[in-house]
Amino acid sequence: MAGGFRAKAHRVVAPILVLVGVAVVTAVLQATEPPAWLSWLPKWFSPAVVAVLGVFSLWVVQPWAKRRQAEVDNERTAVRRLKDHLGRQQDLKKFRDVDPAALGVHQAIDRREGTPQAPPTVAHGRGRCRNLWPGRQTPDDDGHADWDMPIWVAREKVEDDLRLWLAKAKINGGFVLVVGDSCVGKTRLLHKTVLDVLGDWAVLVPDRGEAGVVNAVADSTFDLPKLVVWLDELQRFLPGPDRTSGTALTPGAFRKLLDALTPVVIVGTLWPDHAASLRRIRPSEHGDSPPSFVNPEAADIINSDRRKEVTLHSFSENERREAALLTSRDPRLGDALAVREFGITEALAGAPDLIRRYEQATEHQRAILFGAVDARRLGLQGALTESLLMALAVAQIGYPPSDERWFERAFKDLKLKSRATAPILHFGRADPSTPRYTVADYLLQYAIAERRNEKVSASVWQALVDRETEADDALRLGQSAEDRLLYCHAIPLYRRASVLGEELAADRLAVLLEARGELGAALSQSRSRAKAGDRDAAVLADLLAERGDVRALSARADAGDSRAASRLA
């Protein structure tokens, strides 16, 4: 693979040569007739040396060889993950060569009147384009045209502060986190400043929610280039309530990247609600122990002492005046300034049209959107399939429409127009065989706030229960159902998550079964957990105490279960 990302040959060859050398020396010394050139050695010397070599091989050489082999395996894993990630591309791209859309920068709207739908192609001078189209930017000095993004408006104070920090991070690396609401310009700010300061660095952009390639690269021992790790919508990559299906970023991998010999800069964005959720603290139950984070691994990452955290808001009055001075170069800024109900970045990202389409949607379109938004606010973070969206829409309406093509027509319209104003978007990389969808970020934030107090019908819950969900999605949905005292939905969701390996779901399932009087089923559930190696099966101890089973509690206490000993006392 190009770029030096390959397992180093000496890591494989060295332990083999050492083991072969030890084996050869041992064989020579154990031979019945030693070579003539060793005939001068006393007879006791060979057995003694063989014994020493055996001990040396057992205690030193073999562990060393295993460690070297583990390093090789890590490198091979990292190379394989990188190859899978890069596909036909042979190496990581330089940051300046990456399409901003691939980094999550919102595509800007076109002007409603008089704006061509494609950039001009009139040659001028040495291949440069004349500025025949004032609504778009001319190519930059390095020859890269940027027709999709509006002209840059400097962000007061924040931009200079961030650029200065990145300049220092060129030496030792670091972690920058930008927190702000949807469509306030978080990703565009990061793109602009990183492009200006670290444009010639390599960039790793994992698929949304899939941090496995990042973990693999961190665990490898090959030499990294100067690297930007781009984690837009960071909550999707962290272990916590908002992670999508996929492998979460581990705190160990995060620290290894920041401590790499070559500087690595990790960048991420978060909504304020997600940042607060990941930093949420669980109060102490007994008052004698300090409070702890609900999501300790995620909190460990976003609270890193190597981080630079920036909070971004909508345009200030000074920034609006700066934008007004640039309207002659990009009329879209004038259009955005004219929309007082929305911020400039929100208007440029198509938020007004997006909200208009939501509020003026037909009955069937609203049913699809309400179903998708409700699924998200209840905890379903994974992809939304067409079959699930149809089931949720039918549940919202309350009956199957007589028109057989109702869903096809309504769903098609929700996906139409540009990505900037489509309420329903493809989730991750588009796959024609199994298309997956999500709700546009700005609309999701808006609609969740609007529907926060709306009651979710039993048929909507049933549609979510019937869906084959990932373990973390099932756990989140189960918690939402339990919070609403809907145990009839929480139990099957917890049961599914428990089968898929979620320990917390198994605990909650046992508690709910006991609360419903199904103590036998709850004990069976908790005992299966305990047999699987969970020494802290506190739920089992509580249930045994509730049942008055002193003998079983005593046995658990003798086995080292402190909670059982406490309940026994």
Side-chain angles (χ1 to χ4, degrees), residues 241-490:
D242 301 302
R243 183 171 67 84
T244 57
S245 58
T247 304
L249 177 66
T250 66
F254 177 82
R255 286 190 290 269
K256 286 179 182 178
L257 286 173
L258 294 184
D259 293 335
L261 295 178
T262 50
V264 174
V265 173
I266 303 172
V267 301
T269 63
L270 279 177
W271 289 357
D273 289 350
H274 291 146
S277 174
L278 294 171
R279 286 176 167 141
R280 188 159 59 92
I281 293 177
R282 179 188 293 109
S284 174
E285 293 183 3
H286 306 292
D288 55 353
S289 59
S292 59
F293 289 106
V294 175
N295 303 290
E297 291 185 330
D300 187 22
I301 291 173
I302 66 172
N303 291 333
S304 167
D305 56 5
R306 299 279 299 277
R307 83 185 186 280
K308 168 66 175 179
E309 186 166 331
V310 173
T311 301
L312 193 64
H313 303 285
S314 295
F315 272 34
S316 66
E317 287 303 317
N318 287 338
E319 289 167 341
R320 293 180 70 89
R321 283 192 289 269
E322 178 70 20
L325 296 175
L326 297 171
T327 54
S328 61
R329 296 175 59 187
D330 191 341
R332 288 175 298 180
L333 290 175
D335 295 342
L337 284 165
V339 183
R340 299 298 299 186
E341 297 83 1
F342 294 85
I344 290 181
T345 52
E346 295 168 346
L348 289 172
D353 193 30
L354 188 63
I355 299 304
R356 178 189 60 79
R357 294 184 67 185
Y358 171 72
E359 293 180 343
Q360 297 179 7
T362 66
E363 177 191 9
H364 294 162
Q365 291 169 355
R366 289 175 71 85
I368 295 172
L369 291 173
F370 285 171
V373 170
D374 285 348
R376 285 285 187 254
R377 70 185 176 102
L378 293 176
L380 181 60
Q381 299 296 332
L384 302 170
T385 61
E386 287 192 32
S387 59
L388 175 62
L389 287 171
M390 181 185 291
L392 291 171
V394 170
Q396 291 284 346
I397 297 171
Y399 57 88
S402 57
D403 181 3
E404 294 182 355
R405 298 187 59 192
W406 70 272
F407 179 81
E408 178 184 345
R409 293 192 181 96
F411 191 57
K412 181 180 179 181
D413 187 66
L414 292 174
K415 296 184 296 179
L416 287 178
K417 295 191 178 182
S418 70
R419 185 176 176 86
T421 58
I424 297 293
L425 306 175
H426 279 284
F427 185 93
R429 295 181 179 178
D431 184 353
S433 61
T434 55
R436 305 180 304 161
Y437 302 95
T438 188
V439 183
D441 284 347
Y442 187 85
L443 176 59
L444 181 62
Q445 191 175 47
Y446 176 90
I448 284 179
E450 182 188 62
R451 294 185 58 77
R452 188 177 301 277
N453 297 320
E454 291 290 331
K455 182 180 179 180
V456 180
S457 69
S459 54
V460 170
W461 274 111
Q462 195 59 50
L464 293 170
V465 170
D466 292 341
R467 179 182 186 265
E468 290 295 328
T469 54
E470 300 287 343
D472 48 0
D473 274 339
L475 173 61
R476 285 189 290 265
L477 290 170
Q479 290 172 326
S480 292
E482 183 182 0
D483 290 343
R484 292 163 173 80
L485 307 182
L486 300 175
Y487 302 144
C488 60
H489 301 310

Side-chain angles (χ1 to χ4, degrees), residues 27-81:
V28 169
L29 293 174
Q30 285 183 319
T32 305
E33 294 293 335
W37 53 274
L38 289 178
S39 59
W40 58 274
L41 292 173
K43 293 183 178 181
W44 57 265
F45 183 80
S46 293
V49 171
V50 169
V52 170
L53 285 176
V55 174
F56 179 75
S57 176
L58 180 65
W59 292 96
V60 178
V61 176
Q62 290 186 18
W64 173 79
K66 288 181 179 179
R67 288 196 299 271
R68 302 288 282 191
Q69 186 59 47
E71 291 176 352
V72 172
D73 292 340
N74 286 337
E75 288 187 348
R76 286 173 174 167
T77 299
V79 170
R80 177 179 57 79
R81 295 301 297 265

Side-chain angles (χ1 to χ4, degrees), residues 535-536 553-565:
R535 288 175 54 84
D536 297 322
L553 273 175
S554 179
R556 294 292 303 164
D558 292 342
D561 187 337
S562 59
R563 183 61 172 266

Side-chain angles (χ1 to χ4, degrees), residues 195-211:
L195 180 64
D196 289 348
V197 182
L198 309 176
D200 59 342
W201 283 30
V203 60
L204 175 60
V205 189
D207 292 340
R208 178 178 291 187
E210 182 49 75

